[in-house]
Amino acid sequence: MADDEGGGGGGGQAEEDFCCNDSQSAFLVLFTIYLVVCFLTWQSDLAKPMRMIAVFLHELSHAIATWITCGDVRKIRVFENEGGVTEYIGGCRIIIIPAGYIGCSFFGMVFTVMSGGRKTATGAAAAFVAALLI
């Protein structure tokens, strides 16, 4: 009961710790705006290249898993309707089949790590564009 009489036993400090500083608040607001814009534009033509890249990386991950398990990739195709197929012979199907989703997650992690600064982000983007053109 003694703590209740003293103004809540430091309750003001707990409220200050709960809130964010200015840079954290700005990040949360901007990230929320980013998510809303992504959600609203994901099915538009503006985001179609990103969706096609995601399909390509998915299929590339199947191909990499095929090569790792000593299979032979005959063809990688990405279709206009955002579908794709990797035609392969041999390899270990238990590894190849889930590799599309695992590989996309891995590529996402790599892109996130490499976007830590302006120079690394520019280098990662240039390497990715070069890989797509080759």
Side-chain angles (χ1 to χ4, degrees):
M1 286 297 203
D3 287 337
D4 291 338
E5 296 172 11
Q13 181 67 27
E15 290 176 16
E16 291 174 13
D17 290 341
F18 180 73
C19 192
C20 306
N21 64 32
D22 290 340
S23 64
Q24 292 169 331
S25 297
F27 170 78
L28 290 174
V29 168
L30 292 173
F31 190 71
T32 302
I33 292 169
Y34 166 77
L35 289 176
V36 169
V37 169
C38 286
F39 180 75
L40 293 176
T41 61
W42 185 246
Q43 290 300 322
S44 70
D45 288 339
L46 183 66
K48 183 147 184 143
M50 293 302 293
R51 294 192 309 266
M52 297 297 282
I53 288 170
V55 172
F56 171 73
L57 291 175
H58 177 94
E59 298 304 327
L60 180 65
S61 299
H62 287 301
I64 290 170
T66 302
W67 292 322
I68 287 172
T69 60
C70 299
D72 185 33
V73 176
R74 296 291 185 198
K75 195 182 301 186
I76 297 176
R77 296 189 298 177
V78 177
F79 302 112
E80 184 70 24
N81 67 354
E82 297 163 28
V85 64
T86 300
E87 296 177 16
Y88 64 92
I89 296 173
C92 180
R93 291 182 55 136
I94 291 175
I95 295 173
I96 295 169
I97 291 172
Y101 299 107
I102 295 168
C104 280
S105 298
F106 177 78
F107 281 116
M109 183 241 357
V110 168
F111 293 147
T112 301
V113 167
M114 294 192 74
S115 67
R118 181 177 215 147
K119 289 181 182 179
T120 56
T122 303
F128 183 67
V129 169
L132 287 177
L133 294 175
I134 291 178

